[in-house]
Amino acid sequence: MSGFSYGFTVTQRAKSVKQPRGGYLKPKSFVAVSLGEGLDELNPVENVPASLVGMSVDYLSRFLSGTRLEEAFKPSLKGSVVSHHAEEADRLLRGVTGLDDASITNAVKLTGFDVCFRVGPQLYKPVEEIQPDTSTIENIRVMVNRTLHFLDVYGPKILDGFTFEGGYSDVIVNGDGDFLTADTLWDLKVSKNPIKKEHTLQLLMYWRMGLRSVHPEFRNVRYLGIYNPRLNVASRIEVSQIPDDVIDAVEKDVIGYAE
């Protein structure tokens, strides 16, 4: 496998690899369905980084759809250990009980530890400086409720926050997925923008890695999907529609599986 770089996360690899024109898995090939009110019904300005808003929506949705709190915020808790702030993170975690203002504020602060786990403690910024305002809190509450409705429509979930033991390669060494329902692998994207080819490649990588992982549930996947609670749109493609040569190219040239 000469010519490969090593040690990527799924997201890093999806962003860095050169794709064919239009992408390996073209965003326009996904069928989009609106689940109700979208971007126009949200407050236009948020005062914390979009990445923290996205993780807060994701983790709160996992918790409020039945996952244990410690599991839902597992990456954040791991980051707090790396940055030697485990006691502070535990206090914040105990303050997450639902979708009241205090719970959402604590959840957003908690996600400030994620970067320590995903990138490194050198990027840690004091989480006490993260103070979501009313507009941000309201948006997170609406988007979590939208995600819970989405899971009512397309779920229930059978896995969330899963990793891919058995499916990693020398090239891809880390990465975790969002939601798996009975027949669909879902990625959550909290963005104002339409689906990008980096998003669809990431999803395709998750599927192929999942099939080699310790999770037998991936054998039942018939669709790949992206749900965006900011736009309130669910987009899916049947895996039977994905050409074999595209799957082969992604497995070999992107993930780095041997022949």
Side-chain angles (χ1 to χ4, degrees):
M1 294 202 312
S2 60
F4 274 104
S5 296
Y6 299 94
F8 289 100
T9 66
V10 173
T11 305
Q12 288 169 343
R13 184 63 172 155
K15 288 180 178 177
S16 65
V17 72
K18 182 173 174 57
Q19 297 196 45
R21 184 178 178 84
Y24 282 107
L25 189 54
K26 294 178 173 56
K28 65 182 180 182
S29 62
F30 282 64
V31 177
V33 175
S34 171
L35 295 184
E37 294 177 338
L39 184 62
D40 292 344
E41 301 304 316
L42 295 174
N43 296 309
V45 178
E46 295 162 357
N47 76 327
V48 300
S51 60
L52 299 190
V53 172
M55 286 186 287
S56 300
V57 172
D58 187 357
Y59 299 166
L60 281 167
S61 297
R62 294 181 194 182
F63 166 51
L64 292 170
S65 58
T67 297
R68 286 177 56 248
L69 189 59
E70 293 80 4
E71 281 296 313
F73 284 87
K74 193 172 184 177
S76 304
L77 296 177
K78 285 184 175 180
S80 74
V81 172
V82 171
S83 62
H84 306 292
H85 291 86
E87 194 171 312
E88 183 177 0
D90 186 60
R91 178 181 57 79
L92 290 169
L93 189 74
R94 290 196 304 271
V96 178
T97 59
L99 286 179
D100 57 281
D101 288 4
S103 289
I104 293 174
T105 299
N106 288 328
V108 176
K109 288 176 180 288
L110 260 175
T111 62
F113 292 117
D114 264 63
V115 68
C116 305
F117 166 62
R118 297 181 186 278
V119 182
Q122 70 276 9
L123 294 181
Y124 172 71
K125 295 180 181 178
V127 298
E128 57 268 20
E129 296 176 8
I130 302 171
Q131 295 289 348
D133 61 13
T134 300
S135 294
T136 305
I137 290 169
E138 287 177 353
N139 281 3
I140 290 172
R141 182 180 295 116
V142 169
M143 289 191 284
V144 171
N145 279 322
R146 287 177 179 180
T147 304
L148 296 176
H149 175 248
F150 150 75
L151 287 171
D152 284 341
V153 174
Y154 287 96
K157 67 182 184 185
I158 56 176
L159 288 176
D160 66 15
F162 43 85
T163 50
F164 298 94
E165 282 75 18
Y168 295 113
S169 66
D170 290 340
V171 178
I172 310 294
V173 299
N174 208 338
D176 51 282
D178 290 338
F179 293 99
L180 190 67
T181 57
D183 63 357
T184 306
L185 170 61
W186 293 98
D187 201 29
L188 196 73
K189 294 295 182 191
V190 183
S191 172
K192 295 179 180 178
N193 302 311
I195 298 172
K196 298 179 179 179
K197 63 183 179 181
E198 292 81 10
H199 302 155
T200 60
L201 175 58
Q202 184 180 347
L203 191 56
L204 181 53
M205 292 164 69
Y206 283 150
W207 175 46
R208 302 314 296 180
M209 292 169 63
L211 286 170
R212 295 186 182 222
S213 77
V214 297
H215 302 295
E217 294 90 346
F218 277 88
R219 296 174 197 152
N220 298 320
V221 169
R222 292 180 51 226
Y223 300 90
L224 304 183
I226 293 174
Y227 175 62
N228 185 332
R230 196 177 287 282
L231 303 180
N232 207 7
V233 170
S235 305
R236 291 202 300 181
I237 184 173
E238 286 193 52
V239 297
S240 62
Q241 296 179 359
I242 304 173
D244 289 341
D245 62 332
V246 169
I247 292 172
D248 291 344
V250 168
E251 287 198 344
K252 180 170 178 274
D253 301 333
V254 180
I255 303 175
Y257 291 145
E259 294 284 357

